Amino acid sequence: MTDRSARALLRRFGEFADRFAGCFSRHPQHAAASQYLEGLFNDSERKSMQAMHGRLSDPISYQALQHFITDSPWATPPVWAQLRAVVPVRHGILALDDTSFPKQGRHSVGVQRQYCGALGKIANCQVAVSTVLFGAHLTWPLSFELYLPKPWFTDPGRRAQAGIPPGVRFREKWRIALAHIRQVLTAGFHLTAVVADADYGSNAAFRRGLERLGLRYGLAIRSVLKLWTPDARRTQTAAAIATALPTHAWRRVTWATGTKGPLTARFAAVRVRPAKSRGDRWLLCERSVIDDERKYYLLNLDATASLRALVTVVRSRWPIEQQYRELKDELGIDHFEGRSYRGWGHHTVLTTLAFTFLQLERLRSDDDPRPTLPHVRCWVREIMAVLYVIGNRKLLNLIVSFQRNPPLRR
């Protein structure tokens, strides 16, 4: 990266941060937000406040940065609203999903023994409900909200210690998800479909909520979901319907190319009616070509939709796992060590802002293939490291000393 391109990137970063200035009531808050974003971009391995603060080029005091995240009363909804406003892609498929943060102890807000996707088992963790927009080439996170299990509302002391506001009430994950979808629609996004895993897809109330919003969906469902088939006298499970399908009903479909080659499986589709529902839907059944693993999906696309169209919708979810990895590995969204409800929300929205800036930088590139997010993150990290060295007189003197008298001579 040249001096000119580095200066241009820093200018764009400053302009990006300035777009959120109105979300903070005072200039010191805006300055602290910019420094926190800088900290997320710098080369500290752990994205805890102390580690990030130690690598800032011109830092405010550590106490001021900590207060800004854990105690300062700035609200996150305006920041999320502004983030959705700056996303340049305004239409696409919206993915709903949970992401988990393994934790030790019981004091971090929202922590409980529950299914932890990061570990693939029941474990002590926090869980957040999120929405992600899949554009033509890139993903754009549009919301994150911490799920608070019921026990957190039956223990006043624990709730007070975590700083959970009195107005926050228990909500199931599917209700949180529907609220997020309404926010996305209000922000002016056009959703071609909504996709989600079986925890959401198997919930009839959630599906009805999407239909009331006039949205198409392609949702994973559990194999035991009861469905009516044409001319059937009783309901059958999705698994039973798939087992009864003739061999010729299954077709091999490739929907994308992964790191190990084409992503392919066998699919079959049949019109069904979910129990206690009105109108027909598509039941899409999937069989792995490797081990015959079965998966099932429910879609409300038109009756004329092709099998490939059905597969394209339900299989559009796969990039979300890569996005979660990048949010965690590159920006440390799961590194927050505070325990408060407010602090968790502050850290999460600022981490998502940092991710969005990197996506905007990727979008600017004309390279083919487009640079990966870790690649762009590396550019920004190098610039932040140079700024840190320039701002540290001791390091500068050490570099000059090494140049004059190299410690390793041949």
mmCIF file of all heavy atoms in Angstrom, residues 10 80 180 203 272 378 397:
data_model
loop_
_atom_site.group_PDB
_atom_site.id
_atom_site.type_symbol
_atom_site.label_atom_id
_atom_site.label_comp_id
_atom_site.label_asym_id
_atom_site.label_seq_id
_atom_site.Cartn_x
_atom_site.Cartn_y
_atom_site.Cartn_z
ATOM 1 N N LEU A 10 -7.462 6.324 5.289
ATOM 2 C CA LEU A 10 -7.713 6.983 6.571
ATOM 3 C C LEU A 10 -8.758 8.089 6.433
ATOM 4 O O LEU A 10 -9.576 8.287 7.333
ATOM 5 C CB LEU A 10 -6.408 7.550 7.124
ATOM 6 C CG LEU A 10 -5.407 6.531 7.682
ATOM 7 C CD1 LEU A 10 -4.114 7.219 8.085
ATOM 8 C CD2 LEU A 10 -6.005 5.784 8.869
ATOM 9 N N TRP A 80 -27.648 1.614 15.113
ATOM 10 C CA TRP A 80 -28.106 0.560 14.199
ATOM 11 C C TRP A 80 -28.892 1.164 13.037
ATOM 12 O O TRP A 80 -28.728 0.746 11.883
ATOM 13 C CB TRP A 80 -28.973 -0.445 14.947
ATOM 14 C CG TRP A 80 -28.214 -1.454 15.743
ATOM 15 C CD1 TRP A 80 -28.179 -1.580 17.105
ATOM 16 C CD2 TRP A 80 -27.354 -2.480 15.237
ATOM 17 N NE1 TRP A 80 -27.364 -2.627 17.472
ATOM 18 C CE2 TRP A 80 -26.845 -3.199 16.349
ATOM 19 C CE3 TRP A 80 -26.968 -2.868 13.954
ATOM 20 C CZ2 TRP A 80 -25.973 -4.274 16.210
ATOM 21 C CZ3 TRP A 80 -26.099 -3.941 13.812
ATOM 22 C CH2 TRP A 80 -25.609 -4.626 14.928
ATOM 23 N N HIS A 180 -36.816 -7.534 14.351
ATOM 24 C CA HIS A 180 -35.690 -7.109 13.525
ATOM 25 C C HIS A 180 -36.098 -6.997 12.060
ATOM 26 O O HIS A 180 -35.671 -6.066 11.355
ATOM 27 C CB HIS A 180 -34.537 -8.101 13.673
ATOM 28 C CG HIS A 180 -33.846 -8.005 14.990
ATOM 29 N ND1 HIS A 180 -32.631 -8.613 15.242
ATOM 30 C CD2 HIS A 180 -34.182 -7.376 16.140
ATOM 31 C CE1 HIS A 180 -32.259 -8.364 16.475
ATOM 32 N NE2 HIS A 180 -33.195 -7.618 17.042
ATOM 33 N N ASN A 203 -41.493 -23.200 13.715
ATOM 34 C CA ASN A 203 -42.410 -22.429 14.548
ATOM 35 C C ASN A 203 -43.501 -21.821 13.673
ATOM 36 O O ASN A 203 -43.245 -20.923 12.866
ATOM 37 C CB ASN A 203 -41.628 -21.331 15.278
ATOM 38 C CG ASN A 203 -42.461 -20.594 16.300
ATOM 39 O OD1 ASN A 203 -43.536 -20.095 16.005
ATOM 40 N ND2 ASN A 203 -41.959 -20.508 17.523
ATOM 41 N N VAL A 272 -47.317 -29.339 -0.058
ATOM 42 C CA VAL A 272 -47.875 -29.815 1.209
ATOM 43 C C VAL A 272 -48.638 -28.668 1.867
ATOM 44 O O VAL A 272 -48.559 -27.516 1.440
ATOM 45 C CB VAL A 272 -46.764 -30.311 2.163
ATOM 46 C CG1 VAL A 272 -46.019 -31.496 1.573
ATOM 47 C CG2 VAL A 272 -45.796 -29.170 2.497
ATOM 48 N N CYS A 378 -6.118 -6.598 6.870
ATOM 49 C CA CYS A 378 -4.657 -6.540 6.985
ATOM 50 C C CYS A 378 -4.141 -5.166 6.550
ATOM 51 O O CYS A 378 -3.238 -4.609 7.171
ATOM 52 C CB CYS A 378 -4.024 -7.650 6.158
ATOM 53 S SG CYS A 378 -2.237 -7.790 6.358
ATOM 54 N N ASN A 397 12.603 6.219 18.560
ATOM 55 C CA ASN A 397 14.015 6.297 18.935
ATOM 56 C C ASN A 397 14.688 4.936 18.825
ATOM 57 O O ASN A 397 15.852 4.831 18.415
ATOM 58 C CB ASN A 397 14.154 6.835 20.361
ATOM 59 C CG ASN A 397 13.746 8.287 20.470
ATOM 60 O OD1 ASN A 397 13.740 9.007 19.471
ATOM 61 N ND2 ASN A 397 13.396 8.728 21.680
#
